Amino acid sequence: MSTAVVVDGPGEHRLVPHEPVRPAAGEALVRVHAVGICGSDREVYQGNRPEGYVRYPLAPGHEWSGTVEEVGAGVPATLTGRKVVGEGFRNCQVCDRCHAGETTLCTAGYEETGFTVPGAMAATLTLPARLLHVLPDAADLTAAALLEPAACIAAAALKANALPGERVAVVGTGTLGMFAVQFLRAGSPAELLVVGTRPDRAALAKEFGATGFRTRDEELPGGFDVVVETAGSASAARTAASLLRRGGRLVLTGIPAPGAEGLDPTDLVVRQLEVHTVFGAPPDAWAHTVRVFGAGLLNPMPLVTHELPLAAFAEAIELVGSGDPEVGKVLLKP
């Protein structure tokens, strides 16, 4: 029997029988291959996700890959059988922000797969076909389950607009940081420094294309043109800003705890720093990610350390929050 994970509320979850939802007009039914777990899923389970950004009871799962099994009316039949990943934000498509391509800023309000509508911790997922991105036929679906966090970093890379020959840096050595290294390396920087708190990540960072690695307690250089922050702490944001030259570009992707002391506005103004932020991934970032992945320039698999069955949801949540350096990306296989 097919199953799904349902989180009824903070700290409460069940494994329940799952019946596929037949796709309505404009929708597609996807057989889920793998679903990733990140800190946001842990927030959902623990009950500390910001108000308005979760709706219980809920089947979590916003990082996923799968194969289209059935399509509804108005969806090309040729989509059936294709390997896909999908955007999470359920944008309205009619507001001014959606028309501008900024779907993560949709003025109709926040709705996202795995947070306010059923996610992929189930045997199947039914969603609007317009959110799907088709993968090459030879794509590794296990690796593709990590393309959602990769797309968020693609959004950061596009905003950073690092030019060939510029000096770039990444602050943070988790999944997002390692994706940032890969995206920035593809732009042929003159230097690519990674700064983090985990010396054990140095080898992997260099495998992905970093030219240098330092911990945050070491003396750090300055003068970088572009810095992407992925660590999710106020101190990491300040470190990232300190690396920049005057007029440099900073992209923040991490979300610190509410009330954290942030950047110094005087420093931002006096040094004329250009600051961007990223929350989620709009369509252009998804398209960029799938294109880079299909070209073999993005390799998620070295980040995966655990593949567990769906029934091991509670174990997976604990692994993600364990702080164990041996734990990287955790995937569930329905």
Side-chain angles (χ1 to χ4, degrees), residues 141-198:
L141 280 177
T142 299
L146 276 70
L147 292 189
E148 191 277 341
C152 295
I153 293 301
L158 291 172
K159 287 189 175 185
N161 190 30
L163 302 176
E166 287 193 312
R167 298 178 68 221
V168 302
V170 174
V171 175
T173 53
T175 298
L176 297 182
M178 294 299 97
F179 278 135
V181 173
Q182 295 184 64
F183 275 109
L184 293 171
R185 179 57 183 165
S188 301
E191 180 180 353
L192 176 47
L193 175 69
V194 175
V195 178
T197 58
R198 292 180 52 183

Side-chain angles (χ1 to χ4, degrees), residues 198-267:
R198 292 180 52 183
D200 61 293
R201 283 290 205 177
L204 185 59
K206 291 179 179 178
E207 178 185 329
F208 285 147
T211 59
F213 184 97
R214 298 197 189 188
T215 58
R216 282 163 57 186
D217 56 3
E218 294 182 83
E219 183 178 352
L220 299 176
F224 285 87
D225 300 288
V226 171
V227 179
V228 176
E229 177 275 326
T230 67
S233 70
S235 63
R238 289 192 290 272
T239 296
S242 73
L243 295 169
L244 286 165
R245 63 166 171 81
R246 289 172 58 85
R249 306 187 294 285
L250 172 63
V251 186
L252 304 175
T253 70
I255 304 178
E261 293 186 8
L263 303 175
D264 179 356
T266 300
D267 178 55

Side-chain angles (χ1 to χ4, degrees), residues 10-289:
E12 302 176 9
H13 80 281
R14 296 173 289 139
L15 199 66
V16 302
H18 172 73
E19 286 292 334
V21 177
R22 295 291 301 277
E27 293 184 331
L29 169 66
V30 176
R31 176 67 55 179
V32 177
H33 174 83
V35 54
I37 294 183
C38 80
S40 298
D41 298 302
R42 188 171 168 80
E43 289 177 352
V44 168
Y45 188 59
Q46 292 181 326
N48 51 17
R49 187 157 173 83
E51 184 178 356
Y53 288 85
V54 64
R55 188 179 301 132
Y56 300 105
L58 175 73
H62 60 288
E63 305 177 1
W64 58 269
S65 63
T67 304
V68 176
E69 283 201 344
E70 186 180 352
V71 297
V75 180
T78 53
L79 193 61
T80 304
R82 298 303 303 272
K83 295 177 179 179
V84 293
V85 289
E87 299 175 32
F89 281 76
R90 303 294 185 94
N91 53 83
C92 74
Q93 291 191 295
V94 296
C95 72
D96 63 341
R97 291 302 87 207
C98 284
H99 281 305
E102 298 174 339
T103 54
T104 60
L105 297 176
C106 177
T107 61
Y110 171 77
E111 296 287 345
E112 185 176 5
T113 300
F115 296 109
T116 62
V117 293
M121 290 190 191
T124 67
L125 174 65
T126 300
L127 74 168
R130 62 182 171 80
L131 299 177
L132 298 178
H133 289 261
V134 178
L135 301 171
D137 291 339
D140 180 344
L141 280 177
T142 299
L146 276 70
L147 292 189
E148 191 277 341
C152 295
I153 293 301
L158 291 172
K159 287 189 175 185
N161 190 30
L163 302 176
E166 287 193 312
R167 298 178 68 221
V168 302
V170 174
V171 175
T173 53
T175 298
L176 297 182
M178 294 299 97
F179 278 135
V181 173
Q182 295 184 64
F183 275 109
L184 293 171
R185 179 57 183 165
S188 301
E191 180 180 353
L192 176 47
L193 175 69
V194 175
V195 178
T197 58
R198 292 180 52 183
D200 61 293
R201 283 290 205 177
L204 185 59
K206 291 179 179 178
E207 178 185 329
F208 285 147
T211 59
F213 184 97
R214 298 197 189 188
T215 58
R216 282 163 57 186
D217 56 3
E218 294 182 83
E219 183 178 352
L220 299 176
F224 285 87
D225 300 288
V226 171
V227 179
V228 176
E229 177 275 326
T230 67
S233 70
S235 63
R238 289 192 290 272
T239 296
S242 73
L243 295 169
L244 286 165
R245 63 166 171 81
R246 289 172 58 85
R249 306 187 294 285
L250 172 63
V251 186
L252 304 175
T253 70
I255 304 178
E261 293 186 8
L263 303 175
D264 179 356
T266 300
D267 178 55
L268 299 182
V269 173
V270 170
R271 292 203 290 141
Q272 300 182 62
L273 300 183
E274 184 179 322
V275 181
H276 298 272
T277 61
V278 169
F279 178 63
D284 63 338
W286 272 96
H288 182 51
T289 301

